[in-house]
Amino acid sequence: MKVLKFGGTSVATAASIQQVQNIIAQTKAKKLVVVVSALGGVTDMLLKAAKTAADQEITYKDVLKDIEKRHLNIIKDLLPINAQSKVLSKVKSELNVLETLLEGAFYIGEITPKLSDKIVSFGELLSAYIISEYFIEVGHKATFKDSRELLITDNTHGKAIVDFEETGNRCSHYFSKVPAHIVVMPGFIAASKDGNVTTLGRGGSDYTASIVAAAIDAEELQIWTDVSGMYTANPKIVKQAKAISHISYEEAMELSHFGAKVLYPPTIQPVLAKGLPIAIKNTFDPEAPGTIITKKAPEEGRTVRGITNIPAITLLSIEGPGMIGIPGISKRFFEVLSQAEISVVLITQASSEHSICIGIADEDAEKAISQVNKAFAYELAMKKIKPLLIEKELAIIALVGDQMKNHQGLSGRMFSTLGKNNVNIRAIAQGASERNISAVIRKEDVKKALNTLHEAFFEEQIKQLNLFILGVGNVGSKLLGQLKQQKKYLKEHLRLNVRVIGIANSRTMYFEEQGIPLQKWPELLTQGTKTDASQFYNTILELNARNSILVDNTASEEVAFTYKNFLKQSIAVVTCNKIACSSGYEHYRLLKELAKEFEAPFLFETNVGAGLPIIDTLKHLIASGDEIIKIKAVLSGSLNYVFNNFNETTTFHDVVKKAQEEGYTEPDPKIDLSGIDVMRKILILARESGYVMDLEEIVNRSFLPEEALQTKDNKAFFAALKKFENHFQQLVIGAKKEACKLKFVATLDNGKASVGLEHIPEGHDFYSLAGSDNIVLFYTKRYPEQPLIIKGAGAGADVTASGIFADIIRIGTY
């Protein structure tokens, strides 16, 4: 199912509505939801009629006649004579209701927000009804659906707040049952639970379409307008501006907020949560590619995605010696503006707390000045605060782009470019996300500034990742080799410059700010300083490199409990060390929360299945709304290798020894054979599935004799394996009698987890699992009988290193 929204210009005339029908006819989908705005210009006419009536000017009737004429002419141009009667009758009936409402405003001499919403709702209602009847007439299986029956809001009029749960339920129920191929809905309008008409704000038809798309998990949301997508700048001002082919949700929100009128800013939010793509297309040039908006935009694009502006800005500056060190000044200042319903577009404050500067719309300036002077009358009289400094006839220009935060010197380059062209900057602001750099300039300089910046900033950028690698043994050395081998490929194909600027093992650590030559890392590490965990951390902070990533290839508990320090500094963490994610649940949740709070990726794909995409697949299942019922898995490549090679002609001791020598086990093989390693893995999968669980809650049916479990070192452990050889032989014999193979299986079933040896009969998914391979069976609500299966190499330095490499690339391409 697709949702298509057509704006006012797209439905302004009979010819444009016919073009809309052509687009609909060529759109491939089982069902279509078509959301339409009022006929172009009609909403403004309705607002004018309402104001004129409230001013008790009889000329409101003239405006009403023009509205009626527009709609009747559209009907006559679109429909054959024999199909007009029904539609004309319905439209005239609705216009009679509208006339009554306007008469009421005229007689009482005012218009309330509630009445205003009722009046302006007629634009979309009439447009959607006429278009639905036209679609039916030309042969579509179409129907009209009043948005007020589906979109439920609070009673805030003018810009109501949507009740997404109730709206979602109503949309899901209606669209799952409606037989029509095309459902035509009016945009912009909704209703409160008690039936009052509400509206979603000017531009709200986009928002309507987005809400519906998210509610029904649409395949795609298409916004059809009169331009071919979102542009790198306003094409009316910058002639060389081009449509942006692919942009992220966040970038689109920034551009729309900062003046790009193609998209109503709140539109992004509903679909962002569901990850649904948005396509912005041109009704009058449907073959043009337009703009696709998704969660992530290709990073091989430009650092600056767009340059935009907001006109008609006033700067208000409040400053004075009485502000320094006095708590609550900022709160009072913004509270005054909030109570006056004045939106603040830009904020900048001196670090000395001596001054606060804000940008607001010109139209709010006088009200803001009056309210602030009133609120701070005492401070002004006592000269603790200077009189407000007011600067009008300004505009905001902004650079927008997700990748701006990864590129040094953009602000300086922006301001230098403007300065060279004699564009004076009155104020600057940059959000914490570093996705937007804004500057306030004179309105007369907007055209020059936009053209100058557009020329200067559209060039290719390469993203740099800076790695700090702990552990350069089996896995770490393989990772460094892979990074060296793929360095050129990453630059050319992914536009990533991956540098290793710090490495450490248990003895020494070495840093090189400009990047360690990977062909020389072994000898350079020997020249390093003695490893010190605190100094390693402090050096990373001192280097303050952008896009820093800590890569932990150790099995150290001490290292695992330092992750929180890195995440708090917005340093990403990639690890194959399972200790952190299998530690106490509160610690695990803390790391996840810190990753979100400080926008620092915490990736641990290799914790389960080495290079297999097990955790990633699980995350996608959960994110898409699936629910885990049961997991059955062979998660130890070490144990699978051992039991695939152990039989009556071998000894258990020798097989385990070989597995250790070939790197299939941990340095301490008891971690694998005791089942602890598998317990950690199934615990991580349980937690990622949404279960609150700790290691102690997992049942471990260990096959090792107690004496082997109690050994203190590898020598004693291997001696115990020799001593209990008969015990291990009996395990093999028992399985063989039942024509089964031995597999160490982890199970998660309805929140209960266990691990242990199982007899696997021929024909089972686990039976033919070879070598050190892992296998996971996900039984979910979507896969209740035939599970989703992931299978492949689950142990070994090469595949583990490749999994870590993949996590690094995930961060780089995010």
Side-chain angles (χ1 to χ4, degrees), residues 469-483 521 551-555 574-578 606 610-611 662-667 794-805 808:
I469 298 179
L470 279 170
V472 289
N474 284 343
V475 174
S477 60
K478 293 293 184 182
L479 174 63
L480 287 164
Q482 291 172 9
L483 289 168
W521 74 262
V551 181
D552 179 18
N553 303 312
T554 75
V574 172
T575 181
C576 60
N577 185 343
K578 292 178 279 293
T606 50
E662 295 189 9
Y664 289 121
T665 71
E666 299 285 351
D798 269 325
V799 292
T800 303
S802 70
I804 294 169
F805 197 141
I808 293 168

Side-chain angles (χ1 to χ4, degrees), residues 313-338:
I313 292 294
T314 292
L315 281 184
L316 295 184
S317 297
I318 181 172
E319 61 179 73
M323 293 175 60
I324 300 175
I326 304 300
I329 293 289
S330 298
K331 175 181 179 294
R332 287 174 58 197
F333 184 42
F334 292 113
E335 203 168 59
V336 168
L337 299 170
S338 174

Side-chain angles (χ1 to χ4, degrees), residues 582-615:
S582 60
S583 61
Y585 183 79
E586 290 306 316
H587 182 247
Y588 160 81
R589 286 305 311 165
L590 173 65
L591 295 178
K592 301 280 278 190
E593 293 301 325
L594 289 174
K596 290 180 184 178
E597 182 180 355
F598 294 97
E599 297 184 1
F602 173 43
L603 302 182
F604 44 91
E605 182 65 61
T606 50
N607 276 197
V608 182
L612 296 176
I614 294 172
I615 294 175

